[in-house]
Amino acid sequence: MEQIQNYIASLPAAVTALLLVTVLVIYISPSILALFYNPTQFRKIAAVNLIAGASWPAWVATLVWAVSGRMNDRVDAMLKRSASNKIWLGLIALILVGAIAFGAF
């Protein structure tokens, strides 16, 4: 750790500033992506990102949550197109649940 501190201290101020900005942008990237991909959940994603973002698993989960918004909207729009889609999805789910219950998978 001391070697890293000495190395960073020996860098020019502009390089250190650029390094800090880069780390900050990577750290808050789930929040930035949420603005574009999941704006309805932006505040929640930003709060989780700032509080738990130092943990790699939490940061990855927040990143996935941030980019999943548009996909959810697309799936919802597809399901709302016709009632028959819901019936087919229900039948498929019922078949899968039955197959799992009877040990087919």
Side-chain angles (χ1 to χ4, degrees), residues 4-27:
I4 295 172
Q5 290 175 342
N6 290 337
Y7 178 73
I8 292 174
S10 68
L11 292 174
V15 174
T16 304
L18 182 63
L19 180 65
L20 289 174
V21 169
T22 303
V23 168
L24 181 65
V25 167
I26 291 170
Y27 181 80

Side-chain angles (χ1 to χ4, degrees), residues 41-56:
Q41 299 286 318
F42 170 72
R43 288 184 181 181
K44 293 176 186 175
I45 292 169
V48 171
N49 183 213
L50 293 176
I51 294 169
S55 162
W56 281 105

Side-chain angles (χ1 to χ4, degrees), residues 26-27 29-30 48-49 52-67:
I26 291 170
Y27 181 80
S29 62
V48 171
N49 183 213
S55 162
W56 281 105
W59 184 86
V60 171
T62 307
L63 183 67
V64 170
W65 182 18
V67 297

Side-chain angles (χ1 to χ4, degrees), residues 40-90:
T40 58
Q41 299 286 318
F42 170 72
R43 288 184 181 181
K44 293 176 186 175
I45 292 169
V48 171
N49 183 213
L50 293 176
I51 294 169
S55 162
W56 281 105
W59 184 86
V60 171
T62 307
L63 183 67
V64 170
W65 182 18
V67 297
S68 68
R70 298 276 177 160
M71 184 59 71
N72 291 340
D73 293 343
R74 289 181 194 153
V75 170
D76 288 342
M78 181 187 74
L79 291 176
K80 290 178 183 177
R81 286 187 192 146
S82 72
S84 66
N85 285 345
K86 291 181 184 178
I87 293 170
W88 282 109
L89 285 175

